[in-house]
Amino acid sequence: LKEIVFVIQSQSNSFHSKRAEDLKKDILKQAVDLGKELPTVLLIHQINRHEGAWTILPLMRDFSITYGRNSSWIFFCEEDTRIQVTKLLETLRRFDKSKEWFLGKALYDEESTIIHHYAFAENPTVFKFPDFAAGWALSIPLVNKLAKKLKSEPLKSDFTIDLKHEIALYIWQKGEGPHLTPVPEFCTDDVNSYKVDHCATTFSNFLPLCGEPVNKEDVFVAVKTCRKFHGDRIPVVKQTWEREAALIEYYSDYADISIPTIDLGVPNTDRGHCGKTFAILERFLNHTSPRTPWLVVVDDDTLISIFRLRKLLSCYDPNEPVFLGERYGYGLGTGGYSYITGGGGMVFSRTAVQKLLASKCRCYSMDAPDDMVLGMCFSGLGIPITHSPLFHQARPMDYPKDYLSHQIPVSFHKHWNIDPVKVYFTWLAPNTEESPNGKKVGYNREDL
């Protein structure tokens, strides 16, 4: 057990860091109960203050220097991964620790997808990448090799979009490095499932709820739109999730009383919407009730469950500066910053908006990408991005089915080549337990 270094892919937000600490305690308690020497358990957000620590590859040199001699495996997991330490030991013993191993639960794309830059377009199913929820492992010889390679050959892409796929690509080295070896004992079934007898890991696949869901009136929803989409995108919002929101406003470049939209006096731009988003933040701070703690900014083609979001927000303290959604990274190999990608929805605590607007950080141009500028600003203020995998920048078919099977999603984005109303009622509409009248509305996920 002392040859395994456990690395929990943790975050510094108080809710997440507590969950990671609980997992660390559980691993150490299991080691004590087994009468074994205690393993090393690291929390990524504590390893160093490097902004890109969550992307893991920048840490390989540290891992190689610190653990390269006396350890055999680095085992990574998420804060909600549950580990049976004895079964994990049995599983890892099957593999020769002197060789280069990349172990995990394999995911693959059913069709080539924009979030993976349409990689392996001829046959996307050939390339396997790990489901982080099940845990994944690198043998020390592979860690040492990666550390060496990163020294001479920095990461190519400026953007981190889907970390699990990008790590697998980097390790694979166009076929010269190891492929992911699928390990059946790395599981994402719920710990209470009858299927988990053979599993070394399980995953608690529920929507966190830390008390009563926050009140409807605690969430202010801002929808960014423009005149050319009033006719096709706004009706979808009204048919689907608008009724879940108590406080909602539509911001456009044209005041249309039939919706109604509010013209913020910011002309529409074809590219980023930085000017518009900052105008929304100012309006939220100055023209809504100071008792409304949460702001959600979405695009007019974002599909979102406000009902589930209210459950999720019960876990966060609005007195902390919270900036929540799906995390991407820019230039993290060389400093850079993380940001919340806009299409999946950006959630702000009022405290975060206050701190941002009190600073002098603003758009460098009206059509700068709003989500990236916000990431840059919060990074400069030392306010961490809080990632939730339940927000999605793309459509359901852009993700592996097996990955979505252990999620209760909060959002998807884009109407391209889908029936957005059907997607909403399949993936996001309150189910029988959730819906106000107790009636199930929905389609079969397999149809989509």
Side-chain angles (χ1 to χ4, degrees):
L1 190 54
K2 66 176 190 297
E3 290 177 47
I4 305 176
V5 177
F6 290 87
V7 179
I8 302 172
Q9 294 171 246
S10 60
Q11 303 189 64
S12 57
N13 172 275
S14 59
F15 164 62
H16 292 281
S17 59
K18 176 167 187 328
R19 282 166 92 100
E21 290 286 359
D22 289 346
L23 175 55
K24 177 177 179 173
K25 280 182 199 148
D26 181 63
I27 294 167
L28 295 174
K29 181 181 182 307
Q30 287 187 59
V32 170
D33 292 348
L34 290 168
K36 302 266 190 190
E37 283 189 49
L38 296 186
T40 302
V41 185
L42 306 173
L43 272 55
I44 272 210
H45 78 277
Q46 293 173 346
I47 288 177
N48 60 16
R49 289 288 159 243
H50 178 50
E51 182 83 43
W54 65 271
T55 62
I56 291 168
L57 288 173
L59 301 174
M60 285 300 156
R61 286 183 66 194
D62 294 348
F63 289 159
S64 175
I65 292 162
T66 314
Y67 307 108
R69 290 178 183 278
N70 300 323
S71 302
S72 305
W73 296 96
I74 309 260
F75 179 81
F76 299 87
C77 62
E78 295 192 340
E79 63 192 35
D80 289 324
T81 311
R82 292 294 163 258
I83 300 166
Q84 292 279 359
V85 169
T86 33
K87 286 207 171 118
L88 179 63
L89 285 170
E90 284 165 25
T91 304
L92 292 177
R93 270 192 213 112
R94 291 210 311 271
F95 299 92
D96 179 351
K97 62 189 180 186
S98 67
K99 297 200 160 52
E100 292 173 8
W101 289 107
F102 175 27
L103 309 177
K105 179 189 172 184
L107 296 173
Y108 58 87
D109 291 332
E110 327 269 330
E111 51 188 74
S112 64
T113 165
I114 188 170
I115 56 175
H116 298 153
H117 307 295
Y118 301 108
F120 304 94
E122 276 87 63
N123 182 6
T125 62
V126 297
F127 186 70
K128 308 290 191 284
F129 49 99
D131 191 335
F132 286 171
W136 54 290
L138 302 177
S139 64
I140 287 295
L142 179 55
V143 171
N144 293 338
K145 178 181 159 186
L146 292 171
K148 208 164 153 186
K149 187 160 184 59
L150 283 155
K151 196 175 176 181
S152 59
E153 195 180 306
L155 299 170
K156 298 249 185 325
S157 170
D158 280 337
F159 285 93
T160 304
I161 290 173
D162 184 9
L163 183 62
K164 53 194 180 297
H165 191 268
E166 288 154 34
I167 283 181
L169 267 183
Y170 191 83
I171 292 171
W172 180 63
Q173 295 296 343
K174 299 197 170 84
E176 288 177 19
H179 282 266
L180 178 73
T181 300
V183 176
E185 290 86 353
F186 291 179
C187 310
T188 51
D189 302 290
D190 194 272
V191 68
N192 299 316
S193 160
Y194 66 91
K195 298 180 194 164
V196 302
D197 288 346
H198 73 286
C199 293
T201 62
T202 51
F203 186 73
S204 47
N205 53 350
F206 56 87
L207 188 69
L209 181 61
C210 306
E212 286 298 306
V214 303
N215 292 328
K216 261 188 166 183
E217 293 72 25
D218 286 346
V219 181
F220 187 94
V221 185
V223 183
K224 293 186 300 184
T225 186
C226 62
R227 189 172 187 170
K228 67 178 174 187
F229 294 131
H230 288 188
D232 57 348
R233 291 185 180 178
I234 299 302
V236 171
V237 178
K238 291 190 173 288
Q239 268 179 281
T240 54
W241 59 267
E242 184 196 66
R243 71 195 76 152
E244 294 179 41
L247 306 170
I248 184 167
E249 287 186 343
Y250 296 86
Y251 300 109
S252 181
D253 52 347
Y254 172 71
D256 178 340
I257 53 167
S258 69
I259 292 172
T261 58
I262 294 165
D263 179 0
L264 291 169
V266 178
N268 191 50
T269 49
D270 286 335
R271 299 188 326 170
H273 306 118
C274 197
K276 181 187 279 182
T277 298
F278 269 82
I280 290 169
L281 296 175
E282 307 240 357
R283 183 179 171 87
F284 173 71
L285 210 52
N286 301 321
H287 294 93
T288 62
S289 163
R291 288 194 299 278
T292 306
W294 297 105
L295 167 67
V296 188
V297 178
V298 294
D299 293 347
D300 49 11
D301 59 347
T302 303
L303 298 164
I304 189 166
S305 168
I306 300 296
F307 181 83
R308 288 180 192 165
L309 178 64
R310 286 170 45 218
K311 280 187 167 181
L312 183 62
L313 289 178
S314 70
C315 295
Y316 296 96
D317 178 356
N319 298 313
E320 284 182 32
V322 178
F323 184 31
L324 170 73
E326 184 182 14
R327 174 180 52 193
Y328 280 11
Y330 177 72
L332 288 173
T334 52
Y337 55 88
S338 308
Y339 63 98
I340 297 298
T341 177
M346 299 185 284
V347 183
F348 305 80
S349 63
R350 183 174 286 272
T351 309
V353 178
Q354 284 165 337
K355 285 186 184 297
L356 174 69
L357 294 181
S359 79
K360 295 288 173 277
C361 197
R362 293 293 183 273
C363 308
Y364 53 84
S365 68
M366 292 302 264
D367 67 349
D370 54 351
D371 49 6
M372 294 181 75
V373 170
L374 287 164
M376 221 167 5
C377 290
F378 280 119
S379 172
L381 289 167
I383 292 171
I385 299 302
T386 302
H387 170 67
S388 168
L390 307 179
F391 295 77
H392 301 86
Q393 173 67 16
R395 309 161 304 162
M397 63 278 297
D398 292 313
Y399 302 89
K401 283 196 178 104
D402 203 11
Y403 174 69
L404 292 180
S405 71
H406 57 75
Q407 281 198 350
I408 297 174
V410 166
S411 71
F412 290 104
H413 177 228
K414 296 244 190 309
H415 294 177
W416 180 61
N417 280 358
I418 57 166
D419 174 347
V421 175
K422 199 169 171 183
V423 166
Y424 169 80
F425 280 108
T426 306
W427 289 93
L428 298 165
N431 62 26
T432 321
E433 304 89 74
E434 297 173 333
S435 69
N437 55 11
K439 286 191 180 137
K440 170 74 176 152
V441 266
Y443 299 84
N444 181 356
R445 285 183 173 190
E446 295 303 315
D447 299 344
L448 293 169

